[in-house]
Amino acid sequence: MHAAEGTAATASEVDGGEAASGLQSVETLDRSNDMERGLKNRHVQFIAIGGTIGTGLFLGSGKSISLTGPSIIAVYIAVGAVMFLLMRTIGEMMYRDPSQHTFINFIGRYLGDAWGHFAGWSYWVVLVLVGMTEISAVGTYFVTFFRIFGIDLRHWNWLIQIGFLAVLAMVNLIAVKVFGETEFWFSMIKITLILAMIATAAVMVIIDYHYPAVQIHGMDGISPAGHAGFDNITRGFSFLPHGWMAFLMSFQMVFFAYETIEFVGVTVSETRNPRKVLPKAINQLIARILIFYVGALVAIMLIVPWSTFKPNRDGSFASPFVMVFQYAGLNWASALVFFVVITAASSSLNSLLYSAGRHLYQVADESDSPSLRHFTTVSKSKVPARAIILSALLILVSPLVSALPGISSAFVLFSSASSAVIIFIYILTVAAHRKYRQSADFITDGFVLPSYKVLDIVAMAFFAFIYLTLFLAADTRGPALAGLGWLIVFGGYCLLRSRRRKSASAVGDASAV
């Protein structure tokens, strides 16, 4: 099986420069890798960027700011630093064995078959559920985009979702380099809007720009007149303007904005020169976080006083990006932002299909079930086509579920619980890294995370803290409990399954003797 191969290195198997360290060459490890290394450096760099920028920044940052004001910047930095630690743990293990199709494999390798089985299936289910919410979001954003121009497409929402999913599935099925190229341009669009917004805000501050009261698209009532300046941040500053509870709740919101940052750890087995490209992509995460999150939030609050972010009657918030551009006199800003939001959601869905296909391929490869063996083959273009198609078909259930009120409410709870389950996956990944550092596989001159004994504990404790914050609000308490239920029920099943397999194996060995 692919996940179990290539764990022990010998001097005869490695290239000359690698022999001294026990680091196997990529060529040696790739004897069990059926995928094509079609992703270039620029593809991986922009996939990494795309993984850190989702629709939450464009639409949800207003709610984040409203919770705790300027101190939200500290929250983004703190959560971003821990997510960077997570990526360093993934990067170190992937550097050791870049033939693995997913970082989840290391959980089974270093924590045992039971947790590997739990993580493999749980993560794939999470990806499918998140994909179902993303395809629903794509349809909603698409309808909203055309509503700006007076075109009502609500009745065609289901067809829009199917169309988007079909196109993105084809992108994934053609070849991995087509997926990489698509993600490159998706990320380029998102980056351009963020940098344009930051540049616009900078110019407005420099010229001491004053704007009149204006009706903001997506906001109830008229937004008051104001000006661009640092006093919008400092006026009435308080680190906890709405108390400790709101501050703590902001951590979970920011955490979910970073969710799927780990996708770059699924591209390694299909990346050219992975040991050169992967460390570069991960080490640049801090700079990306500072520019695309911290930079964007500072720019927003320089233009829009943080105390003015208020929810609409339905609980929604206007997009801060729309606000900044409309204050600058660009009345078509709403259409521009929602076009980019459609791009961001499509990018997320595209990456979800890619990752879900690889995870199902890997889970099937490690399974003894004959029915799952059908998903262990790759197509002529060297992609796990059957695994991608099945994942896409399951995501396609979303439009049907949305149309059935009785099922829809249960689906919302279950899909929300998937965000809670991914916290378990992150904790297991860091725990696997800790075991790796204590194993014979560890190499001293790889992409090593320094002070791992302390930093691994910090990361796991932080993820546990994020999970506890889910119990603070009524809308996240249910998903948190559902996530615990999944851990107890499915995790318990996986542990019992592993024990039965070990007992059966022991009996078989005894009979053979």
Side-chain angles (χ1 to χ4, degrees):
M1 294 182 186
H2 297 235
E5 295 176 0
T7 57
T10 62
S12 62
E13 292 177 315
V14 296
D15 294 337
E18 297 173 328
S21 67
L23 182 66
Q24 282 184 287
S25 69
V26 175
E27 291 75 18
T28 299
L29 293 167
D30 269 356
R31 291 171 186 169
S32 61
N33 182 10
D34 295 329
M35 305 294 187
E36 178 185 8
R37 292 194 175 274
L39 295 176
K40 301 178 182 178
N41 176 56
R42 66 183 177 91
H43 293 149
V44 175
Q45 297 298 327
F46 277 79
I47 288 170
I49 292 173
T52 59
I53 305 172
T55 57
L57 177 63
F58 300 111
L59 296 180
S61 48
K63 184 177 181 180
S64 299
I65 295 171
S66 73
L67 273 175
T68 188
S71 60
I72 195 66
I73 295 172
V75 178
Y76 268 94
I77 292 175
V79 178
V82 176
M83 297 306 283
F84 174 69
L85 292 180
L86 171 70
M87 290 308 301
R88 282 299 303 262
T89 65
I90 292 173
E92 181 174 352
M93 293 185 290
M94 279 292 191
Y95 189 96
R96 172 66 177 82
D97 188 356
S99 69
Q100 298 300 308
H101 304 302
T102 164
F103 64 93
I104 298 293
N105 288 347
F106 297 107
I107 295 175
R109 181 182 295 184
Y110 297 113
L111 298 184
D113 174 68
W115 288 119
H117 190 76
F118 171 83
W121 279 109
S122 294
Y123 195 70
W124 180 69
V125 170
V126 165
L127 291 174
V128 171
L129 287 171
V130 174
M132 293 171 78
T133 59
E134 286 292 346
I135 191 61
S136 179
V138 167
T140 301
Y141 300 148
F142 197 85
V143 170
T144 302
F145 174 75
F146 276 92
R147 188 184 300 148
I148 295 171
F149 302 101
I151 303 172
D152 187 0
L153 296 177
R154 285 176 298 175
H155 299 299
W156 298 101
N157 195 333
W158 63 275
L159 187 59
I160 292 168
Q161 293 183 40
I162 293 173
F164 265 94
L165 187 62
V167 170
L168 295 177
M170 287 302 299
V171 165
N172 274 271
L173 290 171
I174 294 171
V176 69
K177 59 185 176 183
V178 176
F179 161 79
E181 200 66 28
T182 304
E183 279 303 295
F184 173 82
W185 288 106
F186 277 160
S187 295
M188 184 69 75
I189 292 170
K190 292 187 283 187
I191 290 168
T192 301
L193 180 68
I194 294 172
L195 295 180
M197 194 275 292
I198 293 174
T200 299
V203 171
M204 292 170 74
V205 171
I206 291 171
I207 66 175
D208 189 25
Y209 183 85
H210 286 68
Y211 50 84
V214 63
Q215 176 64 62
I216 301 293
H217 293 133
M219 176 185 288
D220 294 342
I222 303 295
S223 179
H227 74 286
F230 286 95
D231 60 318
N232 285 331
I233 296 178
T234 59
R235 189 188 309 118
F237 176 81
S238 172
F239 193 79
L240 301 171
H242 302 299
W244 278 102
M245 188 67 73
F247 180 72
L248 293 174
M249 287 172 60
S250 69
F251 276 89
Q252 57 170 276
M253 184 174 295
V254 173
F255 170 80
F256 292 130
Y258 282 115
E259 197 177 51
T260 71
I261 196 174
E262 74 278 3
F263 276 0
V264 71
V266 186
T267 64
V268 181
S269 67
E270 296 170 273
T271 300
R272 298 178 190 176
N273 303 315
R275 286 183 175 143
K276 178 180 179 182
V277 172
L278 182 65
K280 184 178 179 181
I282 292 176
N283 282 334
Q284 290 178 353
L285 280 176
I286 292 295
R288 294 185 188 114
I289 288 168
L290 290 175
I291 293 173
F292 298 123
Y293 277 106
V294 176
L297 289 169
V298 170
I300 288 167
M301 287 186 284
L302 286 173
I303 311 305
V304 188
W306 61 269
S307 58
T308 64
F309 282 96
K310 307 289 184 185
N312 294 321
R313 286 184 294 273
D314 61 358
S316 65
F317 285 78
S319 166
F321 281 73
V322 172
M323 297 173 76
V324 170
F325 286 126
Q326 279 201 248
Y327 288 150
L330 304 177
N331 292 324
W332 43 267
S334 185
L336 171 65
V337 171
F338 268 96
F339 169 75
V340 176
V341 166
I342 291 170
T343 300
S346 299
S347 173
S348 297
L349 184 59
N350 194 36
S351 295
L352 281 162
L353 281 171
Y354 173 89
S355 188
R358 272 66 185 175
H359 276 86
L360 179 57
Y361 171 86
Q362 192 66 54
V363 167
D365 190 54
E366 295 175 347
S367 175
D368 297 328
S369 172
S371 59
L372 287 175
R373 303 305 297 175
H374 298 290
F375 301 103
T376 61
T377 58
V378 298
S379 65
K380 291 181 180 179
S381 55
K382 295 187 177 181
V383 298
R386 293 176 180 176
I388 292 171
I389 291 171
L390 177 61
S391 300
L393 289 174
L394 290 175
I395 291 173
L396 196 59
V397 174
S398 179
L400 177 62
V401 170
S402 300
L404 301 173
I407 300 177
S408 182
S409 57
F411 167 70
V412 169
L413 174 63
F414 198 42
S415 60
S416 299
S418 67
S419 296
V421 171
I422 204 169
I423 299 176
F424 300 143
I425 304 298
Y426 290 167
I427 292 174
L428 289 172
T429 300
V430 178
H433 172 260
R434 191 173 180 82
K435 286 291 187 180
Y436 158 74
R437 290 295 294 265
Q438 298 166 355
S439 73
D441 290 345
F442 172 61
I443 50 170
T444 57
D445 60 346
F447 184 38
V448 178
L449 173 66
S451 305
Y452 84 95
K453 290 183 179 179
V454 174
L455 295 179
D456 280 354
I457 291 175
V458 168
M460 287 188 286
F462 189 84
F463 291 136
F465 159 73
I466 294 294
Y467 202 95
L468 290 176
T469 65
L470 297 179
F471 292 95
L472 297 178
D475 59 340
T476 56
R477 197 171 298 127
L481 291 171
L484 281 176
W486 177 264
L487 174 66
I488 294 170
V489 175
F490 187 58
Y493 162 78
C494 291
L495 289 170
L496 290 174
R497 170 184 173 274
S498 178
R499 289 178 182 177
R500 285 198 302 266
R501 288 163 66 93
K502 287 179 181 178
S503 298
S505 177
V507 171
D509 292 342
S511 299
V513 174

